């Protein structure tokens, strides 16, 4: 597609359940990022994928969070045993190059609400 | 390591008056700097970017920003605000040495009629 696609756009889940968020980057974009934006706060880095290199997971807040990416295509962010503090908008971005000199294209995000 | 500071969490201006959103950065290497805008319930949109070419960068919707190395600043300006400019604005820094894109905490721009 023309842009970064994220699904679902909205997700309401019960505390303790697992959720999976999906990101389809722009075809050919080697770099893929996941960010989280909690209400009233700035964007928080979660994880970064670059081609076939080992991902940078330094932003994942706990071991309940994990992410996978198949080659240079789809990525999934999984949150296990969700907690209310996980409620946020989860944004995915992709870039043509590692340095992002062409800019980063963001998806519209997945709004996660844990009740 | 790099960081970015947006000095104002909220800015209010009247429609038709100039806009100034401030951003300071720190970087051990030559930075690339970006401004993104996020309208309510929409994804982030790139306004403009600086990547070591001209220091005055023109973006979409009449916005521009000037890279000032001596002041480590990349402030976003617009001569005349429009109601549709009301949104959250993020200043972003990255370098060719580090793979992370670092976001400021955002500035919410309010446009008064």
């Amino acid at each position: 597609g023309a842009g970064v696609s994220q699904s679902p756009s909205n997700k309401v889940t019960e505390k303790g359940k697992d959720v999976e968020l999906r990101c389809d980057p722009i075809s050919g974009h080697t770099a893929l990022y996941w960010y989280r934006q909690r209400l009233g706060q700035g964007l928080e880095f979660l994880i970064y994928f670059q081609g076939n290199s080992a991902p940078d997971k330094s932003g994942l807040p706990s071991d309940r969070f994990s992410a996978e990416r198949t080659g240079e295509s789809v990525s999934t962010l999984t949150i296990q045993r969700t907690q209310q503090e996980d409620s946020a908008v989860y944004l995915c971005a992709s870039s043509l190059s590692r340095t992002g000199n062409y800019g980063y294209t963001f998806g519209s995000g997945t709004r996660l609400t844990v009740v | 390591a790099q960081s970015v500071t947006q000095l104002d969490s909220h800015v209010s201006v009247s429609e038709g008056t100039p806009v100034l959103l401030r951003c300071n950065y720190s970087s051990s290497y030559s930075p690339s700097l970006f401004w993104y805008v996020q309208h309510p319930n929409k994804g982030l949109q790139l306004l403009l970017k600086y990547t070591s070419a001209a220091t005055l960068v023109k973006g979409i919707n009449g916005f521009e920003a000037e890279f000032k190395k001596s002041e480590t600043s990349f402030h976003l300006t617009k001569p005349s605000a429009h109601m549709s400019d009301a949104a959250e604005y993020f200043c972003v820094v990255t370098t060719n040495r580090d793979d992370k894109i670092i976001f400021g905490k955002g500035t919410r721009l309010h446009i008064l009629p």
Side-chain angles (χ1 to χ4, degrees):
Chain A
V4 176
S5 177
Q6 290 188 246
S7 61
S9 55
N10 279 285
K11 176 72 177 178
V12 180
T13 190
E14 292 180 353
K15 179 181 171 181
K17 294 277 179 70
D18 298 351
V19 295
E20 190 173 277
L21 313 180
R22 178 187 169 105
C23 172
D24 278 282
I26 291 175
S27 178
H29 279 199
T30 59
L32 186 148
Y33 302 78
W34 282 98
Y35 284 81
R36 175 170 74 174
Q37 186 174 23
R38 288 190 274 194
L39 190 65
Q41 300 187 26
L43 282 157
E44 178 185 358
F45 168 77
L46 296 178
I47 188 169
Y48 163 71
F49 295 91
Q50 172 59 46
N52 294 317
S53 302
D56 178 351
K57 302 181 180 181
S58 60
L60 294 178
S62 78
D63 59 9
R64 295 186 296 104
F65 287 73
S66 62
E68 300 292 332
R69 187 181 186 193
T70 307
E72 294 182 354
S73 61
V74 170
S75 176
T76 55
L77 176 69
T78 302
I79 309 173
Q80 295 177 308
R81 305 181 303 282
T82 52
Q83 304 294 314
Q84 287 185 327
E85 64 262 25
D86 300 335
S87 295
V89 175
Y90 289 81
L91 283 163
C92 175
S94 71
S95 173
L96 185 60
S97 71
R98 181 173 70 86
T99 60
N101 282 340
Y102 301 95
Y104 302 87
T105 304
F106 285 81
S108 295
T110 294
R111 184 176 298 276
L112 175 66
T113 305
V114 181
V115 297
Chain B
Q2 58 263 21
S3 66
V4 60
T5 303
Q6 291 184 244
L7 297 156
D8 306 295
S9 58
H10 291 267
V11 169
S12 296
V13 301
S14 297
E15 190 174 19
T17 64
V19 175
L20 170 64
L21 305 183
R22 297 183 293 169
C23 173
N24 285 92
Y25 71 92
S26 76
S27 177
S28 304
Y29 305 102
S30 295
S32 293
L33 293 154
F34 307 79
W35 276 98
Y36 284 86
V37 61
Q38 187 175 28
H39 287 91
N41 300 314
K42 297 281 183 67
L44 285 161
Q45 180 184 19
L46 178 66
L47 275 180
L48 48 80
K49 66 181 191 288
Y50 165 79
T51 54
S52 77
T55 56
L56 181 62
V57 182
K58 294 188 184 297
I60 62 172
N61 301 337
F63 283 95
E64 61 182 41
E66 186 171 6
F67 173 70
K68 291 187 177 180
K69 186 175 180 179
S70 61
E71 298 176 10
T72 60
S73 69
F74 190 59
H75 301 333
L76 182 70
T77 61
K78 182 172 179 177
S80 176
H82 191 273
M83 294 300 289
S84 61
D85 295 329
E88 185 107 23
Y89 291 79
F90 292 93
C91 182
V92 175
V93 65
T94 186
T95 74
N96 61 4
R97 294 293 194 102
D98 193 296
D99 294 329
K100 292 193 185 75
I101 43 177
I102 306 299
F103 283 81
K105 292 192 181 299
T107 298
R108 186 168 294 275
L109 178 62
H110 304 270
I111 309 297
L112 308 172

